[in-house]
Amino acid sequence: MEQNALQLYESIFKRKSTRKYQPESLSPDQLSSITAFAAEMKPLHPQIRTKIELAGAVDVKGMVSAKTPHYLLLYSEKKEGYLQNAGFLLQQADLFLSSLGLGSCWLGMAKTTAPAKDGLAYVIMLAFGKAQGNPHRESLSEFSRRPLSEIAKSADERLEAVRLAPSATNSQPWYFVCEGERIFVYRKKLGVLKAAMSATMNRIEMGIALCHLWLADKHRGQAFSFSADVPGDAPEVDGYRCIGSVN
């Protein structure tokens, strides 16, 4: 996973969401390498049982294209932090696919024909395959993201990787307060109506952001430790809720 982590970090700065794919399937060898990688992905919360399933168009429904050849479906125990854990895990697959020159896209509204597997509930899926066109961005200027000053106080250089993390409608529901090597992590508070529509993705996206922060730590050669216990000394941030800290 060490070498893969370096490849994943590099993919942060060029990945993009792919919504149009070439219809042909990947080779068995390619699919085997993807499922092998998925089996070794690092969880945010190791105590939560999860399962990654490779699926085809016949296995999914909803807002999907019949021309999309492959999907990765994530199933999980419904324990505290399971949505963040799902985002943390599947973002590794997203970046790995990008490192292979393939396209991929998070599908928050799609469903599966198998809503449970081995006692685990379906959570989220990733579409992937050979992209129609370039699966990568040519430069950082192609990212439409808020500047670091809007997502962090006393920004740390590691947060540039987090700034580029994908989120639904580019909502970027995160905020960070940096104190030395310690980073307090915050999630945007949602109103009643928005929470009914976006609460699940809001939490998954925090896992995606934490995945990028973990990879930034790996790139710097330092350990990553996330605690979901909200520190008593966490500063108040208007409009956001502290969900833990990274040391």
Side-chain angles (χ1 to χ4, degrees):
M1 189 65 192
E2 294 294 327
Q3 184 60 37
N4 277 332
L6 296 177
Q7 294 173 351
L8 302 190
Y9 179 79
E10 292 171 358
S11 291
I12 288 173
F13 301 92
K14 61 182 181 180
R15 71 153 296 282
K16 67 178 180 181
S17 297
T18 296
R19 293 176 175 82
K20 292 185 178 180
Y21 300 89
Q22 299 177 33
E24 64 265 24
S25 298
L26 301 180
S27 71
D29 284 347
Q30 286 176 302
L31 293 175
S32 291
S33 69
I34 292 165
T35 54
F37 173 83
E40 297 298 323
M41 294 188 302
K42 173 186 171 65
L44 182 65
H45 300 304
Q47 74 276 14
I48 298 177
R49 233 175 15 106
T50 58
K51 183 181 182 68
I52 304 287
E53 288 275 302
L54 179 64
V58 297
D59 304 306
V60 299
K61 57 185 178 179
M63 300 180 67
V64 296
S65 169
K67 292 183 179 180
T68 304
H70 305 291
Y71 300 86
L72 285 176
L73 280 55
L74 188 143
Y75 294 83
S76 176
E77 289 182 285
K78 287 191 172 183
K79 290 184 174 180
E80 183 69 29
Y82 81 98
L83 293 173
Q84 291 169 24
N85 191 56
F88 190 91
L89 281 167
L90 211 51
Q91 182 58 11
Q92 294 169 57
D94 184 26
L95 295 169
F96 181 66
L97 291 163
S98 181
S99 76
L100 298 178
L102 299 171
S104 58
C105 184
W106 286 85
L107 298 179
M109 301 298 290
K111 303 295 182 184
T112 171
T113 57
K117 286 281 181 77
D118 299 335
L120 306 177
Y122 166 74
V123 180
I124 191 75
M125 74 175 71
L126 199 67
F128 71 97
K130 294 179 182 178
Q132 289 188 23
N134 190 347
H136 297 143
R137 300 177 202 263
E138 296 292 340
S139 69
L140 290 179
S141 64
E142 293 184 27
F143 282 90
S144 177
R145 299 288 192 271
R146 287 188 285 164
L148 276 177
S149 60
E150 292 185 14
I151 66 165
K153 180 180 179 181
S154 303
D156 184 293
E157 65 178 13
R158 291 171 288 174
L159 295 180
E160 176 61 15
V162 180
R163 188 180 75 86
L164 302 179
S167 57
T169 65
N170 201 23
S171 59
Q172 297 173 264
W174 42 73
Y175 193 84
F176 304 89
V177 175
C178 308
E179 294 185 355
E181 291 297 303
R182 191 182 190 193
I183 299 178
F184 297 101
V185 183
Y186 297 78
R187 173 170 51 83
K188 189 173 183 63
K189 294 179 181 177
L190 300 176
V192 175
L193 181 59
K194 198 162 187 179
M197 299 172 59
S198 307
T200 295
M201 282 306 302
N202 186 260
R203 288 166 170 78
I204 289 172
E205 287 158 358
M206 292 306 302
I208 294 173
L210 286 168
C211 174
H212 281 212
L213 185 51
W214 162 60
L215 291 170
D217 270 340
K218 295 289 284 185
H219 177 70
R220 286 182 19 159
Q222 64 187 69
F224 171 91
S225 176
F226 172 72
S227 172
D229 295 327
V230 177
D233 59 343
E236 292 288 331
V237 178
D238 188 41
Y240 292 84
R241 176 180 291 103
C242 185
I243 65 166
S245 61
V246 171
N247 294 304

